[in-house]
């Protein structure tokens, strides 16, 4: 039996660095699972679009696809935009939406990697205050994830860790850098909790430099930890394909029960069942 095709879906950006990062990350994921076909698509501001790729796959005879959202938190794009696009899939395709990448310890490892590459240097976290700068979202679940990540980072030895947001909720990166200074923190590092370059990432980096942060890390980018996460999410989604394809017990009307999108399963897939779009 052939493995389901993996489809990595990013939001998209007018910045060409965004698409280049997505393709580099997808290529890295392919090296971790030789023989697995992994395609890329974009929800907006990029090509090819999700419906276009699904139509092409169906025309090539593909019958099963696992969609991996290239997103760090569950918010509007993963809960509304992407499911709406997947519901337009050709009838011949069985499509599973896997979980978003975060939260995961692998993301924190990738973040630490980028900080070290940016020159965190001797003393590391113990002598440094950290600003965790994310894109920002009005979705309560996304905000809760950032708060949890901030708490986890505080336990790894930083002298202080505070969140900042490039859009939506306050505070902004520069304001948090200055607030840490006012609290007596003499060395500040800024880590964008973002996957690819673009307008919001540039806003974070500009604010960090204007406020005088000593260490400014790049975005997570095509890090091996993120490639591993893509494969992990694909594997969990492929299991969802198998579960959804098994004969189900008949319900009270004598019909086979369908697997609903968002039904709970084991934590291996991020704590939620992948959405099934048959």
């Amino acid at each position: 039996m052939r493995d389901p095709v993996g489809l990595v879906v990013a939001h998209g950006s007018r910045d060409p660095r965004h698409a280049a990062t997505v393709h580099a990350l997808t290529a890295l994921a392919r090296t971790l699972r030789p023989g697995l076909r992994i395609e890329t698509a974009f929800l907006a501001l990029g090509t090819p679009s999700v419906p276009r790729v699904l139509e092409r796959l169906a025309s090539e005879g593909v019958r099963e696809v696992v969609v991996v959202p290239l997103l760090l938190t569950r918010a509007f794009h993963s809960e509304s935009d992407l499911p709406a696009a997947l519901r337009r899939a050709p009838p011949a395709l069985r499509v599973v939406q896997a979980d978003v990448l975060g939260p995961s310890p692998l993301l924190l490892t990738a973040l630490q990697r980028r900080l070290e590459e940016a020159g965190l240097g001797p003393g590391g976290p113990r002598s440094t205050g950290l600003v965790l700068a994310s894109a920002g979202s009005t979705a309560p679940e996304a905000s809760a994830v950032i708060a949890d990540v901030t708490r986890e980072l505080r336990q790894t030895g930083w002298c202080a860790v505070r969140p900042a947001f490039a859009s939506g909720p306050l505070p902004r990166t520069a304001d948090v850098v200055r607030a840490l200074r006012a609290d007596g923190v003499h060395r500040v590092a800024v880590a964008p909790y973002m996957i690819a370059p673009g307008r919001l990432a540039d806003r974070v980096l500009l604010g960090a430099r204007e406020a005088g942060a000593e260490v400014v890390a790049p975005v997570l980018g095509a890090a091996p930890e993120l490639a591993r996460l893509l494969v992990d999410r694909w594997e969990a989604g492929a299991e969802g394909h198998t579960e959804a394809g098994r004969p189900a017990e008949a319900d009270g009307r004598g019909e086979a029960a369908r697997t609903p999108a968002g039904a709970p399963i084991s934590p291996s897939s991020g704590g939620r069942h992948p959405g099934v779009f048959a």
Side-chain angles (χ1 to χ4, degrees):
M1 182 177 177
R2 189 176 295 178
D3 284 333
V5 170
L7 177 58
V8 175
V9 177
H11 177 263
S13 170
R14 292 184 178 87
D15 190 323
R17 297 173 298 167
H18 180 277
T21 300
V22 172
H23 289 302
L25 184 54
T26 302
L28 188 57
R30 291 189 188 105
T31 68
L32 301 179
R33 186 75 185 235
L36 173 62
R37 181 177 178 181
I38 305 179
E39 301 280 344
T40 56
F42 298 89
L43 280 171
L45 305 175
T47 57
S49 67
V50 174
R52 179 65 60 86
V53 174
L54 292 177
E55 289 169 5
R56 174 168 56 80
L57 291 174
S59 71
E60 294 174 5
V62 173
R63 292 297 173 259
E64 296 186 332
V65 179
V66 172
V67 175
V68 182
L70 194 60
L71 302 166
L72 296 179
T73 60
R74 298 187 194 106
F76 184 80
H77 297 309
S78 65
E79 303 298 289
S80 181
D81 282 353
L82 183 53
L86 298 184
R87 280 191 282 271
R88 296 164 56 192
L93 286 180
R94 291 182 64 250
V95 181
V96 161
Q97 179 181 332
D99 204 2
V100 297
L101 300 187
S104 168
L106 286 171
L107 292 174
L108 300 187
T109 302
L111 186 143
Q112 182 70 23
R113 171 197 296 276
R114 294 306 185 214
L115 284 164
E116 291 173 354
E117 291 171 352
L120 184 58
R126 289 182 296 278
S127 61
T128 308
L130 176 66
V131 181
L132 181 71
S134 65
S137 172
T138 57
E141 188 170 1
S143 298
V145 166
I146 298 303
D148 287 343
V149 172
T150 302
R151 282 191 289 270
E152 289 184 32
L153 285 167
R154 288 191 185 116
Q155 298 172 9
T156 61
W158 297 90
C159 71
V161 181
R162 296 184 188 176
F165 306 94
S167 65
L170 297 174
R172 299 290 179 250
T173 302
D175 295 332
V176 178
V177 173
R178 295 186 184 107
L180 286 169
R181 293 262 192 255
D183 287 345
V185 176
H186 299 294
R187 187 169 185 252
V188 178
V190 174
Y193 194 63
M194 302 174 179
I195 294 174
R199 177 175 55 87
L200 294 182
D202 286 348
R203 187 179 298 173
V204 166
L205 299 178
L206 178 62
R209 294 189 177 107
E210 285 181 346
E214 282 80 9
V215 180
V216 183
V219 295
L220 298 173
E225 295 85 0
L226 269 70
R228 178 72 259 170
L229 265 176
L230 285 179
V231 173
D232 288 349
R233 297 299 188 245
W234 174 87
E235 289 174 346
E239 291 176 6
H241 257 300
T242 302
E243 292 172 7
R246 289 174 184 154
E249 293 183 6
D251 64 15
R253 299 164 297 174
E255 298 174 349
R258 286 175 60 98
T259 305
I265 58 167
S266 67
S268 63
S269 63
R272 297 178 64 178
H273 197 295
V276 179
F277 303 81

